Amino acid sequence: MDPLYLLTGLLLLVFGLLGVEVAEPGLLEEHLLRVGMALLALGAGALLPPRLWLRHAFGLHLFTLFLLLLVLLLGDGPGGVRRWFYLGPVAFQPSELAKVTLVFYLASFVGRKGNDNPILGPALLVGSTVGLVLIEPDFATALFLLTLGGLLFILAGVPWRRLIAIALAGALVIAPFSGVYLSRFAYVSERFQGFLSYMRGEANPREVAYQVLQAQKAILLGGPLGQGPGGTLPHLPEAHNDMVFASVVFATGWAGGLWVLLLYLLLFLKGVSLSLRLPGPQSLVAMGLTLYLTLQAALNIGVTVGFLPVTGVPLPLVSYGGSSLLVSGLALGVLMRLGREAAREVRTWSS
């Protein structure tokens, strides 16, 4: 196993335990169980060869699409949303799995067809994935999946003429339904309006920006070295999940927050280096999984400190949440296995 990836992942999991402890002490035992599941997923990702994932990537993503459709029919969640399957004490969110299977599918397609092949089929699959997540409703995750898919097409070297044509066609299809969607799911525009109020300095406790203001308060109260896991965190909705970065900083201080940022930066730099050393579709898998972990982390932290509108996207390997921990652990395990494959390629070439 790659020691740098392993150490980085373990440290982020520890920071997550501290954040959950200070935010919701009663959830610590359950979070420990989920961390154990994430470590098992990491081990599975590190053991299975990347070629196996790529060989079955299309089937895996079709299975994910089936789960996304099924959760709309049988799923549940707070406030009438349909995002989770509840199996006793275990809840599973298929949209989290889609972040990984999408990476494998697009990497497999480019590896088989090349980057100048028509991409209508993959674009339709990406659009179907985004659309199913969009109507759960989960606007932030749908937008993240769309961004991730677009970045993977660009990194794969797909010609811009194809990307622009697909983007324009998609916009023409979506535009007539945008008004209906925003009126049906008013929370999307409400969150954006709350963010604008915050930027104008007009936010108050009755607006969406209250969550961001409380997160900033917790970060300031953390001070240089933090209040420790026994400190009393100010009232902060979703302090153990979407806003866990604020809880981590409150417990460990600005120094701890800086360490979290450095760990994600290390993951990004390591992933870019790994991608450059790997051949063909494995290179795209490495970059895609790296972007999944670090881009989502940047989005979550950007929301917490007030740079972005509230999204509800978890912090990979840190936030409380079984699906997110499981999938991010799997992604890190695959990256560790790819690191071993890259080292093997180097040894083969040098010999």
Side-chain angles (χ1 to χ4, degrees), residues 56-253:
H56 299 287
F58 181 64
L60 286 170
H61 195 62
L62 283 182
F63 177 68
T64 303
L65 285 175
F66 170 73
L67 291 178
L68 288 171
L69 183 60
L70 195 62
V71 81
L72 292 175
L73 302 173
L74 304 176
D76 202 354
V81 302
R82 294 182 179 272
R83 300 180 190 172
W84 290 271
F85 291 114
Y86 288 97
L87 307 171
V90 179
F92 180 70
Q93 191 173 3
S95 58
E96 288 295 323
L97 181 61
K99 296 170 184 176
V100 169
T101 60
L102 185 68
V103 170
F104 280 115
Y105 166 66
L106 292 179
S108 172
F109 176 84
V110 173
R112 289 181 288 108
K113 303 290 187 179
N115 57 11
D116 198 18
N117 197 72
I119 59 167
L120 181 59
L124 286 174
L125 271 182
V126 172
S128 300
T129 306
V130 171
L132 288 171
V133 173
L134 198 61
I135 59 178
E136 290 181 354
D138 191 349
F139 182 83
T141 300
L143 185 59
F144 181 80
L145 286 166
L146 183 63
T147 303
L148 183 61
L151 287 173
L152 287 171
F153 279 133
I154 293 170
L155 291 170
V158 174
W160 281 99
R161 67 182 186 278
R162 298 188 188 278
L163 294 176
I164 293 172
I166 291 291
L168 288 174
L172 289 173
V173 171
I174 292 171
F177 303 100
S178 58
V180 176
Y181 182 85
L182 291 175
S183 62
R184 173 77 182 277
F185 305 116
Y187 83 96
V188 176
S189 55
E190 287 173 358
R191 283 184 175 182
F192 185 69
Q193 289 298 325
F195 176 71
L196 291 179
S197 298
Y198 160 75
M199 295 299 290
R200 292 194 298 263
E202 300 171 359
N204 62 64
R206 289 170 294 183
E207 294 180 339
V208 177
Y210 170 74
Q211 195 177 21
V212 175
L213 294 174
Q214 290 298 100
Q216 292 175 341
K217 181 179 179 180
I219 290 172
L220 290 174
L221 288 174
L225 299 177
Q227 302 292 326
T232 304
L233 185 74
H235 178 256
L236 175 58
E238 297 298 322
H240 61 300
N241 195 352
D242 303 340
M243 294 289 172
V244 73
F245 181 71
S247 302
V248 169
V249 175
F250 180 81
T252 64

